[in-house]
Amino acid sequence: MIDLLTSNPGFIIILAGFLCAFIPVSEIRKFLVGAAPIAAAFLIYTAFKDPDAAYTTVKAGGQDFIVNRIDRLSMIWGYVFCLAGVLNAIYGLHEKCKITDSSALIYMGAAVAGVFVGDFLTLFIFWEMAAISSVMLVWKGGENSFPAGVRYLAIHVLSGVLLLAGAIIYARSNGMDFTMGEPGEYGFLGLDKPGGLLLFLAMGIKCGFPFLHNWIQDAYPKASITGTVILSAFTTKLALYALARCYAGEDILIYIGAVMTCFPVFFAVIENDLRRVLSYSLNNQLGFMVCGIGLADMSGKFGELAMNGVAAHLAADVIFKGLLFMSMGAVMLRTGTAKASELGGLFRSMPYTTIFCLIGAGSIAAFPLLSAFVTKSMILTAALDTALYAEGYSLWVVYAMLLFASAGVMEHSGIKVPFFTFFAHDSGKRVQEAPWNMLVAMGLASVLCVFFAFPWGGYQFLYSLLPFESTYEPYTGNHVVTQMQLLFAAMLAFALLKKYGMYPDERRAEILDFDWTYRRFGKGIAKWIDAMWARLSANVGVLRKNAIERSGRRLYQMFSPAGTFSESTPSGIAAVLTGGMLVLLFIVIYLS
Amino acid sequence: MDFLSFMPEWLITHGAAVLVIMPLLLGAITAILPSERLAWFVTLFVTVFSTVTAFAILLVIFGGETQLYKMGGWDPPHGIAYVIDGLNAPIIFLICSMALLTTLYGLKSVVAEVEPKKRAPFYAAFMLGMAGLLGMVVTGDAFNVFVFLEVSSISTYVLVAMGASRDRRALAASYNYLILGSIGATFFVIGLGFLYMETGTLNMADIGGILRNLDGGSRVSMVAFGFITVGLGLKLAMFPLHLWLPGAYAHAPTMVTVFLASTATKAALYLMLRFTFTVFDVSFDYVFTVLTFIITGLGCAAMLLGSLSAIFQTDARRTLAYSSIAQVGYMLLGVGMLTAMGLTASYVHVLNHAVIKGALFFALGAFWYRYGITRTEDFAGLGKMMPWTMGAFTLGGLSLIGVPLTAGFISKLQLARAALDRGWEWAVVVIMVSSILAIFYIGRLLLAAYFQSPPEIDGEVVERNEAPLIILIPMWFLALLSIGIGIYYSDFVVQLGQNASDVLLQGDRP
Amino acid sequence: MAEEHTHMHDDDHIHPLSRRFLWLADEKVVKGFFWLPAIGLAVTVALGLYYDFPEKHKALWDFFGSWGLIGFMAYSFVVFSAKPLFAMLARQENYYGEETVPENIIEPVVEVHHHD
């Protein structure tokens, strides 16, 4: 039992989560929430020292499950998840909620476990476990969050089903081998492989590909304060890991990633709910990494740089995106809202939160000495080098889109979020500074944001964790200067637009996105069909009595206790059915 | 094998007969006992003794032996033979051990659910039912099967009807069950008559040998097969012959529901396996066609429609009853594959489902015992009101869904692998869809129990009131066993399934 | 703007650390803020003369001060696109009928007119 528990670093976190469900004392739960990821990180450390010994398979019901195996890619993902787990634990210290503690741990444990598994079946298990446990965090956001949570769950269960279906088709073509490539082998699966498309789609849903992304902006802003912070770290990143392992170097990812970086920029600029702005921003950062995965063609010249960029940017992104969500959470805790139109001038009452938020904003915007300056540039450089190396102009378009998106990030995350919350016109809200534990969590995250880009030993440490040896040199004079040009120019544009009243005001509104198709259009079509059906049946007088207005009611009529299938005095029917069965059997037997 | 050295030699050699005769005799005596407590102790003695004996027999059989016990020393085919092999030994042990657990549980629940003067007869009927089930499983004589089928059925009708003091609808349910059960038994015996006509013997092994020599026999044996399949199908609640089941499960006393859910349909399924694979043979065209098309189709229909029905029930017991119909569908799907893997999966699910459903119905009974709850909407706040019972229910529910590390996962995995092996990808889809439906009907109850607050009565929140220990012990035993099978004993259970499929397919394979 | 002044006097609730930074909200600082990025841009563009693009890593559009231009254009484009996008995509806050927003704070979004 102990062996199994320690075989995969995620398992102890999951176990701690289940324990938390039964522990009534908040302090003990909080200890577990903090200690479990630390213990898991230690397990990763020991496992990586002897990867062969860490390789564990479990046989259940005749099927081998590779529950643990480790290589450099899963190692950095695991460490980052554990780090995020510790920060989230500190951030959530003030909250006394058994369900959040327990589901957060199970969710996080599933994510950690998911990056160390070695086959698709085991991955599927944790894929679904992460989905089911995390929906609790969405539902903890209050009554408004229930429908969003249901949609979230439905989409993630669908993603899991696609994953399983794809895995089965893949394995069948492969002699029932569910293994996800060899350790250290990235991009073993192609879209042309059987089942490849289904697996791609499954990961794409969880990763927020364009048109599959809506669950992020739908669910994340509606989750509880701590819930959003926890959610932002794991789900999409687990999908990103799977994508990196299976599809590294798949060309289409380059273009999907480029589109992903750009389109959220436009939604973020008009969105009023700042947590939703950050959700779009999350999508945009995922785009950089997806693009990087597409560039990480291991047979190519710049594959290693791109893969390193993805891993490094993942580490940076989890921290600074967490930090931004944390600061918005702190604001929401104190003011009760995260709507830009309601906020403003909060630097007067929440100075520390302001500073931390600015550090987060600077990190995501890639100011020198802040994390994305190093990590995002690795991906950009890989794109540039590939474009220079490759023929044709399509990669130049991609590189231009990435540059455009870099300026766009400055708009929504770099300026909009901190400006409208802490500066802009004074909302008159005078609140308390965030609780100490939130400040500590944000402070630590800020330190990490600086550390990951610290020129003297900081980014070098990050390099030591990357999948490949990195020689990328971020602090060249030209890089610093050009990046500063971009950022100063963006700030100047903002200042001038604001000064001359051309910057649009923040207004309350529901911004439509692609989810309109299923939240409104699909519903509308269903209603229309319903109305047409009612009219039709009204016209056909005989059928009128039997008109069934809604599919739900129809099912109910069939299967409910009062329904056809469950009548409580069925002797007559049942006898007839039995006779019918006999006749059927005779016919079949006669024919055979 | 240390355990075996403690067992007296005669018990192992005569075990098969003792298992059937002891509850029959003591059951008859119990009926006239004056004290309910005494009746309970007699039942406990019988079940403990049977469980130990069945376990010893299981160990002997697991070693690879087949036991042939000749009643009264008469050689078959003239005398009646009891045969125990890898196919029925686990079922025998299942029946005995479930009887033991339900008896423990009954100490409190019967007091709550059955009128005082009917309690001693209740235990008597329970033992007769147990004897009937054991007899039907253990015997090698086809007519003897019918006799024991009737013994178990009639006592079951009585047991279901005894739920009337709790819920008057039990009478209607029992009446329904009586009518349909009788139709089933009649069909079965008509089928046996045709078989006798064709072969001139009632010994199952003999019939099998003769039919194989005749290469499936004439139209007469085909008709016999049809009657026997439908008759047993009714008994095992094969969709759409399941209509008796929800009522019987919902209104019977809890102890009976658990016993029925985890043994009665299983014994009937065992008979179906025995008849289709060893008396008849899948090499006969008509058997092959019926299994591949009809049984598989009905199995899938049961999985989907049964699960769908379960979602829309307002009574938690009916939810689980419909879930049972769906689970029978899983077993039939495995049978319909006609491969060793499919049969193994099916058999594994027979055992696992007994454990899982036992735990779930135990928990439902405890909810009724403390709060009188059976409706799904009353589940609100049960996580706080009865945390331990709800915990067991949760484990059982997760296992029913097929969450990894549970017994349900093992059987579904086996089944899915078997389907892939057979080349039936669509069956995997059906399994997935049915499992997702299970998430809904179980999740609905769990969400209400954990996320809604306990009801208020007169402005005060209902207080926590945990079930008594004697109810918690069998419940948690099964709940933990379902996890244990998922983690530790999966190989053992799968091995049992393989032994069974070896017995079934020892002849020729399709 | 009127709202801003009504609240300026409740200084008691201002965080002690923030008191030292109240000048950030000063009218002059706000109006003159654009000088900071303007000067920064000028300096970095000038430095760009010295730190030229390495030949090996030079994009098609990499020339003197080009990143500043890209930043300015891209940023302005995003902001200017906000107006038509808002007109196209914005709906009332309880459009999907799920939010329980009090009626009185729902701003009717029928037509968007820029208030200039």
Side-chain angles (χ1 to χ4, degrees):
Chain A
M1 190 71 196
I2 300 291
D3 285 352
L4 184 67
L5 259 184
T6 51
S7 64
N8 184 313
F11 291 172
I12 48 165
I13 309 183
I14 296 173
L15 178 75
F18 281 115
L19 284 180
C20 273
F22 299 100
I23 297 175
V25 187
S26 178
E27 283 74 17
I28 302 177
R29 289 203 308 269
K30 291 302 175 193
F31 171 75
L32 281 178
V33 173
I38 295 174
F42 178 72
L43 282 180
I44 299 172
Y45 177 73
T46 51
F48 192 71
K49 282 204 293 198
D50 191 1
D52 290 335
Y55 186 93
T56 318
T57 59
V58 168
K59 206 173 169 69
Q63 175 71 45
D64 275 324
F65 293 90
I66 306 173
V67 292
N68 190 44
R69 63 164 208 197
I70 188 164
D71 62 12
R72 291 195 70 91
L73 190 71
S74 41
M75 180 190 71
I76 181 163
W77 249 266
Y79 277 140
V80 169
F81 281 175
C82 292
L83 188 60
V86 175
L87 291 178
N88 294 343
I90 300 172
Y91 187 76
L93 269 181
H94 66 285
E95 197 182 42
K96 287 188 171 52
C97 178
K98 209 195 268 182
I99 291 171
T100 304
D101 291 342
S102 169
S103 52
L105 274 177
I106 297 172
Y107 167 48
M108 187 191 142
V112 173
V115 301
F116 289 105
V117 302
D119 68 301
F120 283 115
L121 280 183
T122 327
L123 179 69
F124 164 76
I125 293 167
F126 294 113
W127 199 264
E128 293 288 37
M129 190 193 257
I132 291 169
S133 51
S134 58
V135 78
M136 303 294 167
L137 300 173
V138 179
W139 281 338
K140 273 279 133 191
E143 274 177 27
N144 285 344
S145 63
F146 188 77
V150 173
R151 286 192 290 272
Y152 174 90
L153 191 62
I155 289 169
H156 282 276
V157 168
L158 173 71
S159 155
V161 171
L162 290 176
L163 184 85
L164 185 65
I168 287 172
I169 296 173
Y170 168 72
R172 270 187 74 77
S173 73
N174 205 10
M176 289 320 273
D177 184 6
F178 284 95
T179 318
M180 295 168 71
E182 294 299 311
E185 186 190 9
Y186 311 130
F188 68 97
L189 191 68
L191 280 177
D192 47 339
K193 290 261 177 67
L197 194 63
L198 283 177
L199 287 166
F200 190 72
L201 211 59
M203 295 169 194
I205 289 176
K206 235 182 170 77
C207 207
F209 280 4
F211 299 113
L212 306 175
H213 66 276
N214 296 98
W215 62 269
I216 299 178
Q217 292 83 15
D218 186 13
Y220 283 13
K222 297 198 180 80
S224 70
I225 289 171
T226 45
T228 309
V229 176
I230 299 164
L231 283 168
S232 74
F234 303 111
T235 305
T236 51
K237 273 65 176 184
L238 173 62
L240 210 57
Y241 165 81
L243 213 53
R245 180 162 291 287
C246 301
Y247 293 100
E250 190 69 47
D251 278 344
I252 184 107
L253 283 175
I254 302 176
Y255 306 104
I256 292 176
V259 174
M260 264 171 93
T261 57
C262 289
F263 84 88
V265 167
F266 295 100
F267 284 101
V269 70
I270 50 176
E271 182 58 56
N272 184 31
D273 182 342
L274 292 176
R275 290 205 297 173
R276 184 169 280 169
V277 171
L278 288 179
S279 305
Y280 277 112
S281 161
L282 180 90
N283 226 189
N284 149 290
Q285 294 299 311
L286 286 170
F288 283 103
M289 289 180 263
V290 168
C291 187
I293 292 172
L295 291 165
D297 179 5
M298 288 306 141
S299 57
K301 244 178 111 178
F302 312 107
E304 297 191 353
L305 173 63
M307 192 54 113
N308 277 342
V310 172
H313 196 53
L314 167 96
D317 178 63
V318 166
I319 303 301
F320 63 61
K321 189 49 56 63
L323 173 57
L324 285 169
F325 271 117
M326 283 179 193
S327 64
M328 282 307 111
V331 166
M332 208 173 154
L333 178 74
R334 290 308 191 206
T335 65
T337 181
K339 300 218 152 110
S341 55
E342 313 294 301
L343 295 170
L346 284 179
F347 84 94
R348 292 174 184 82
S349 35
M350 304 179 81
Y352 294 110
T353 310
T354 309
I355 293 167
F356 295 141
C357 181
L358 282 173
I359 291 176
S363 299
I364 194 170
F367 273 88
L369 295 180
L370 291 172
S371 54
F373 178 74
V374 175
T375 58
K376 192 163 75 183
S377 317
M378 290 167 86
I379 297 175
L380 280 170
T381 308
L384 172 64
D385 286 352
T386 316
L388 282 165
Y389 187 73
E391 292 185 5
Y393 287 94
S394 58
L395 280 171
W396 284 112
V397 176
V398 168
Y399 181 57
M401 284 166 89
L402 295 186
L403 268 188
F404 167 79
S406 301
V409 175
M410 186 62 191
E411 204 295 310
H412 59 250
S413 298
I415 292 175
K416 177 169 175 167
V417 169
F419 179 77
F420 283 101
T421 314
F422 299 106
F423 303 99
H425 84 276
D426 188 6
S427 64
K429 288 186 163 62
R430 293 288 177 270
V431 293
Q432 274 199 303
E433 177 56 286
W436 67 268
N437 60 302
M438 287 190 168
L439 291 178
V440 170
M442 289 190 276
L444 284 175
S446 304
V447 169
L448 284 168
C449 281
V450 176
F451 180 68
F452 283 162
F454 197 63
W456 301 280
Y459 73 81
Q460 291 87 342
F461 175 78
L462 184 60
Y463 279 9
S464 71
L465 296 174
L466 297 182
F468 300 99
E469 201 179 326
S470 181
T471 52
Y472 177 72
E473 172 52 65
Y475 288 98
T476 63
N478 179 259
H479 184 206
V480 175
V481 163
T482 50
Q483 182 66 20
M484 287 309 288
Q485 279 177 18
L486 185 86
L487 296 175
F488 275 133
M491 280 161 74
L492 182 65
F494 167 74
L496 292 176
L497 289 168
K498 193 80 194 156
K499 190 176 168 74
Y500 295 108
M502 285 188 281
Y503 195 92
D505 284 339
E506 291 303 318
R507 303 186 57 175
R508 306 181 67 114
E510 177 76 44
I511 303 296
L512 304 188
D513 193 348
F514 190 69
D515 55 350
W516 181 81
T517 46
Y518 55 84
R519 290 175 69 181
R520 192 80 183 205
F521 186 65
K523 221 170 154 183
I525 287 192
K527 273 187 187 162
W528 183 82
I529 292 173
D530 182 40
M532 286 297 126
W533 175 248
R535 199 168 294 176
L536 188 75
S537 35
N539 289 339
V540 185
V542 192
L543 286 176
R544 193 168 169 183
K545 265 189 203 163
N546 304 334
I548 292 149
E549 288 183 2
R550 267 188 291 159
S551 55
R553 195 183 301 170
R554 183 174 196 169
L555 286 171
Y556 189 79
Q557 283 181 346
M558 288 280 276
F559 296 113
S560 75
T564 324
F565 269 76
S566 354
E567 280 177 19
S568 52
T569 50
S571 296
I573 302 167
V576 173
L577 272 175
T578 316
M581 269 300 294
L582 192 67
V583 173
L584 178 71
L585 275 192
F586 283 159
I587 292 171
V588 171
I589 289 171
Y590 181 76
L591 292 178
S592 68
Chain B
M1 289 290 143
D2 285 334
F3 176 76
L4 284 178
S5 57
F6 291 106
M7 297 297 291
E9 188 67 23
W10 64 269
L11 189 58
I12 293 175
T13 40
H14 296 270
V18 170
L19 278 177
V20 180
I21 290 166
M22 194 175 59
L24 266 182
L25 285 179
L26 286 175
I29 295 168
T30 310
I32 50 167
L33 282 180
S35 146
E36 53 170 283
R37 192 44 78 90
L38 194 61
W40 184 78
F41 273 112
V42 172
T43 316
L44 186 68
F45 167 74
V46 169
T47 48
V48 169
F49 189 81
S50 310
T51 308
V52 173
T53 313
F55 188 62
I57 292 174
L58 180 65
L59 286 182
V60 172
I61 300 301
F62 200 65
E65 284 181 48
T66 298
Q67 267 198 350
L68 181 70
Y69 183 81
K70 296 164 197 160
M71 268 291 172
W74 292 70
D75 280 332
H78 307 293
I80 293 171
Y82 283 7
V83 184
I84 304 185
D85 55 20
L87 181 61
N88 56 3
I91 304 275
I92 292 168
F93 178 65
L94 178 76
I95 293 171
C96 294
S97 52
M98 286 309 300
L100 172 59
L101 288 174
T102 47
T103 306
L104 285 177
Y105 186 88
L107 179 64
K108 291 274 183 188
S109 82
V110 169
V111 171
E113 292 177 79
V114 180
E115 285 170 47
K117 66 177 175 16
K118 288 186 187 158
R119 283 175 203 156
F122 175 87
Y123 286 115
F126 177 73
M127 272 191 276
L128 289 181
M130 176 185 163
L133 288 176
L134 285 171
M136 210 163 130
V137 174
V138 86
T139 186
D141 181 274
F143 193 74
N144 213 223
V145 169
F146 170 71
V147 172
F148 280 119
L149 188 73
E150 281 297 274
V151 170
S152 83
S153 300
I154 291 168
S155 50
T156 313
Y157 308 145
V158 174
L159 288 171
V160 172
M162 291 219 189
S165 58
R166 185 173 70 95
D167 187 340
R168 298 294 292 172
R169 285 175 291 178
L171 292 177
S174 171
Y175 176 72
N176 252 325
Y177 189 15
L178 173 91
I179 300 286
L180 294 174
S182 304
I183 295 176
T186 311
F187 274 35
F188 180 70
V189 81
I190 292 173
L192 288 187
F194 280 117
L195 269 187
Y196 187 66
M197 217 162 103
E198 178 89 350
T199 61
T201 174
L202 282 171
N203 180 284
M204 282 149 79
D206 244 20
I207 301 175
I210 293 170
L211 281 182
R212 278 179 190 75
N213 283 338
L214 295 174
D215 200 19
S218 64
R219 285 272 154 76
V220 177
S221 50
M222 294 187 188
V223 172
F225 180 69
F227 271 108
I228 289 175
T229 309
V230 175
L232 290 176
L234 227 157
K235 281 282 167 190
L236 63 85
M238 177 171 75
F239 185 89
L241 309 177
H242 64 272
L243 293 165
W244 58 270
L245 185 142
Y249 280 18
H251 305 307
T254 312
M255 178 180 162
V256 176
T257 304
V258 175
F259 190 63
L260 281 184
S262 47
T263 58
T265 48
K266 275 61 180 178
L269 189 83
Y270 155 78
L271 281 181
M272 184 175 226
L273 289 171
R274 183 68 95 185
F275 270 88
T276 23
F277 286 84
T278 63
V279 174
F280 293 89
D281 196 278
V282 282
S283 60
F284 308 161
D285 277 345
Y286 56 93
V287 177
F288 180 82
T289 319
V290 166
L291 286 184
T292 312
F293 296 103
I294 303 288
I295 299 293
T296 310
L298 293 179
C300 290
M303 287 159 72
L304 297 176
L305 298 176
S307 305
L308 213 51
S309 298
I311 293 178
F312 290 96
Q313 298 305 312
T314 52
D315 183 302
R317 286 178 167 224
R318 290 186 86 94
T319 301
L320 291 191
Y322 276 101
S323 151
S324 281
I325 292 162
Q327 306 300 318
V328 169
Y330 285 90
M331 298 164 204
L332 291 178
L333 174 63
V335 174
M337 287 173 195
L338 296 177
T339 58
M341 280 178 88
L343 288 170
T344 307
S346 178
Y347 200 81
V348 166
H349 197 51
V350 166
L351 301 177
N352 286 347
H353 178 241
V355 171
I356 298 167
K357 265 297 150 51
L360 288 171
F361 273 121
F362 273 149
L364 281 192
F367 296 144
W368 186 85
Y369 183 79
R370 277 303 188 214
Y371 293 104
I373 288 173
T374 57
R375 287 187 307 167
T376 50
E377 63 193 55
D378 294 334
F379 264 59
L382 271 181
K384 292 196 183 67
M385 287 145 68
M386 300 179 79
W388 284 98
T389 310
M390 200 60 218
F393 185 87
T394 308
L395 288 182
L398 293 177
S399 196
L400 191 65
I401 293 168
V403 173
L405 301 181
T406 62
F409 178 69
I410 301 293
S411 30
K412 285 184 181 174
L413 182 73
Q414 287 283 327
L415 198 58
R417 276 164 53 90
L420 288 177
D421 179 65
R422 181 79 161 81
W424 287 358
E425 276 89 356
W426 55 266
V428 180
V429 177
V430 176
I431 296 168
M432 280 299 294
V433 172
S434 173
S435 302
I436 289 172
L437 292 176
I439 294 179
F440 281 102
Y441 64 73
I442 292 294
R444 188 170 64 120
L445 300 175
L446 295 185
L447 282 180
Y450 287 110
F451 284 85
Q452 292 178 13
S453 15
E456 291 182 8
I457 295 176
D458 300 333
E460 279 184 46
V461 178
V462 174
E463 278 182 19
R464 176 177 163 163
N465 190 0
E466 191 49 86
L469 200 60
I470 193 82
I471 282 185
L472 283 176
I473 288 172
M475 184 195 314
W476 269 91
F477 177 77
L478 288 183
L480 290 177
L481 187 60
S482 84
I483 304 295
I485 291 176
I487 300 174
Y488 292 116
Y489 303 119
S490 66
D491 289 349
F492 177 68
V493 176
V494 171
Q495 189 57 48
L496 288 178
Q498 276 164 0
N499 291 349
S501 80
D502 284 348
V503 171
L504 291 173
L505 295 174
Q506 60 194 349
D508 33 6
R509 296 185 186 198
Chain C
M1 279 294 145
E3 198 185 308
E4 190 175 326
H5 291 293
T6 55
H7 288 285
M8 280 313 278
H9 60 262
D10 54 1
D11 280 357
D12 301 344
H13 300 287
I14 290 180
H15 195 282
L17 180 71
S18 304
R19 287 183 195 284
R20 298 190 210 163
F21 293 96
L22 282 180
W23 52 267
L24 279 172
D26 195 288
E27 194 97 345
K28 273 190 215 155
V29 175
V30 171
K31 286 211 163 145
F33 174 73
F34 76 94
W35 283 111
L36 175 75
I39 294 169
L41 184 61
V43 170
T44 47
V45 169
L47 280 175
L49 283 176
Y50 180 72
Y51 296 110
D52 198 9
F53 292 94
E55 275 311 313
K56 262 180 75 181
H57 297 284
K58 196 164 171 178
L60 301 175
W61 47 77
D62 280 346
F63 55 86
F64 162 72
S66 65
W67 281 56
L69 199 64
I70 292 170
F72 195 89
M73 304 273 285
Y75 193 95
S76 310
F77 176 69
V78 170
V79 172
F80 282 124
S81 66
K83 199 174 139 184
L85 278 175
F86 193 85
M88 205 159 62
L89 296 176
R91 296 291 185 277
Q92 283 194 358
E93 264 189 316
N94 63 348
Y95 177 73
Y96 290 117
E98 286 169 8
E99 307 266 337
T100 47
V101 186
E103 282 298 317
N104 57 347
I105 63 164
I106 297 174
E107 233 181 283
V109 186
V110 186
E111 288 272 5
V112 178
H113 293 291
H114 205 270
H115 33 262
D116 43 10

